[in-house]
Amino acid sequence: MCRTTPRRGPSRRGWLLVGFIVLLSAVILALAGITFFLASHFRVTSLRQNQTKAIYLAQAGVMTALYNFRRGANITVGEQTVDAGPLPGSADDDVFRLQPVDAGSTQADFLLMNMRANVTFGQQGFCGSPRDRLQGWTVRNVLASGGRALVVESFKVNWDAPSGERVLRLDINGTGSDWQDANCVGIPPDTFIPLSVPAANRTLNAGARWATNRVWFTSSAMDGKTWIEITFLMADGSSRTAHWDADPTGRSADITIKSVGEVRRGSFPFILWRWLQAEYRICRAVSGTSCNAASEEERQPGALVSYLERMKLTP
């Protein structure tokens, strides 16, 4: 008689264990994914928040400089704490930094060449003939006391519709000729001319001003030009151009402000910065008036004429 051995099916407990392991793995993977997503979302959110803080800090630097300038004070460069960290005055503060000429800005940024004041044409005999001269424009170093001196190496003059006129002479600060063509021939427009005066006379100290500046021409009909531009080339290679226009509203008197906002109190161990560059024109003259007009209606406050973000910490 044959004996048969009954065949047993797979254990239900074994299947339950396998199912539990699969379910647990799925839960772990899901939790890991959610954790990674939340961490990534937190990082992106924090990064965006810090970027926003940094641009606000940079804007605060620009506005602080303009506020001080408009109330009659000169611009003080350097770092200022806006939001102190646990140890105020240490490296964990949120700050803005107005760029000095040796750390991100150029000498020309702080050179204010004012063509919006009482700039006029005069005529006087020189080299044996009546000569037009553009006079009354001023030059100022807007840095506060203790700031860097600005050094002018050369200049050029350009104008619309040139027809043989030339530059004959330059007077700085009303002290006589700082350059003149000894042959009374003159230099063509848009040509840089090295200043022949001693270096000390080309240096404009912080807070100082050159008044009663004049540029002379070979012609006696320059007052009919639509525009004239004078450019100063600085010792560091930067330049500032002043624009005279027949329409007073088109004349320039600009400075450049560069401000870096730095967030150091963020959730991550790095400094996040954003850098703004602003061009500021000191006043807006109503057509037919100057920036020295007695009436407030005729003398409008200054305005930003350009505003952009720079993407690297270099000039």
Side-chain angles (χ1 to χ4, degrees):
M1 185 174 181
C2 294
R3 180 178 295 178
T4 59
T5 303
R7 300 178 63 183
R8 297 181 179 179
S11 172
R12 179 173 296 180
R13 290 182 178 180
W15 282 113
L16 289 174
L17 180 60
V18 171
F20 176 75
I21 293 174
V22 171
L23 179 62
L24 182 62
S25 299
V27 171
I28 292 174
L29 288 174
L31 289 175
I34 293 173
T35 302
F36 176 80
F37 171 79
L38 291 176
S40 178
H41 178 71
F42 173 76
R43 183 181 180 87
V44 170
T45 301
S46 180
L47 181 63
R48 290 177 177 173
Q49 289 175 342
N50 290 340
Q51 286 178 330
T52 301
K53 288 181 182 178
I55 200 69
Y56 285 163
L57 288 168
Q59 290 174 352
V62 171
M63 294 300 110
T64 298
L66 294 184
Y67 170 76
N68 289 333
F69 179 78
R70 290 182 60 178
R71 69 184 179 89
N74 287 329
I75 295 176
T76 301
V77 296
E79 185 173 288
Q80 180 171 325
T81 298
V82 176
D83 189 7
L87 297 174
S90 63
D92 59 0
D93 297 337
D94 289 346
V95 303
F96 66 73
R97 187 173 67 252
L98 293 174
Q99 297 296 89
V101 294
D102 55 356
S105 290
T106 63
Q107 292 188 33
D109 290 342
F110 305 105
L111 190 73
L112 173 59
M113 300 177 67
N114 189 351
M115 287 287 177
R116 299 179 72 84
N118 293 325
V119 182
T120 61
F121 274 96
Q123 194 173 94
Q124 187 170 332
F126 183 68
C127 285
S129 299
R131 311 290 185 176
D132 270 359
R133 59 185 194 183
L134 185 64
Q135 58 192 18
W137 47 281
T138 61
V139 181
R140 175 183 165 194
N141 182 343
V142 300
L143 289 172
S145 178
R148 286 283 301 275
L150 310 179
V151 181
V152 180
E153 292 287 350
S154 61
F155 75 101
K156 71 175 181 178
V157 187
N158 199 15
W159 53 86
D160 72 306
S163 57
E165 310 92 350
R166 293 181 170 227
V167 182
L168 194 58
R169 172 176 161 177
L170 174 70
D171 303 343
I172 293 178
N173 206 25
T175 57
S177 174
D178 292 283
W179 172 87
Q180 69 181 53
D181 184 3
N183 298 318
C184 293
V185 175
I187 301 296
D190 207 23
T191 303
F192 272 109
I193 306 168
L195 288 178
S196 55
V197 297
N201 295 341
R202 301 196 301 267
T203 301
L204 186 60
N205 293 322
R209 178 192 304 265
W210 290 335
T212 322
N213 304 294
R214 298 181 289 263
V215 58
W216 299 63
F217 302 93
T218 57
S219 170
S220 60
M222 293 298 291
D223 55 350
K225 297 296 182 181
T226 303
W227 58 265
I228 298 174
E229 288 185 341
I230 302 173
T231 300
F232 278 176
L233 183 65
M234 315 305 293
D236 62 357
S238 61
S239 62
R240 169 69 74 186
T241 297
H243 181 87
W244 177 89
D245 199 282
D247 179 359
T249 62
R251 300 173 188 174
S252 70
D254 305 340
I255 56 173
T256 303
I257 300 172
K258 295 174 182 175
S259 174
V260 177
E262 291 187 356
V263 175
R264 300 170 178 172
R265 299 184 61 196
S267 304
F268 304 102
F270 56 80
I271 295 175
L272 194 148
W273 58 264
R274 294 180 76 174
W275 185 346
L276 290 179
Q277 175 175 316
E279 298 289 330
Y280 182 74
R281 185 155 294 167
I282 65 170
C283 74
R284 303 192 303 269
V286 178
S287 181
T289 69
S290 78
C291 287
N292 290 337
S295 169
E296 182 64 28
E297 290 75 17
E298 295 176 335
R299 187 183 67 254
Q300 300 297 318
L304 291 169
V305 293
S306 71
Y307 202 69
L308 58 90
E309 183 171 358
R310 299 173 62 88
M311 303 311 295
K312 56 182 181 179
L313 285 171
T314 56

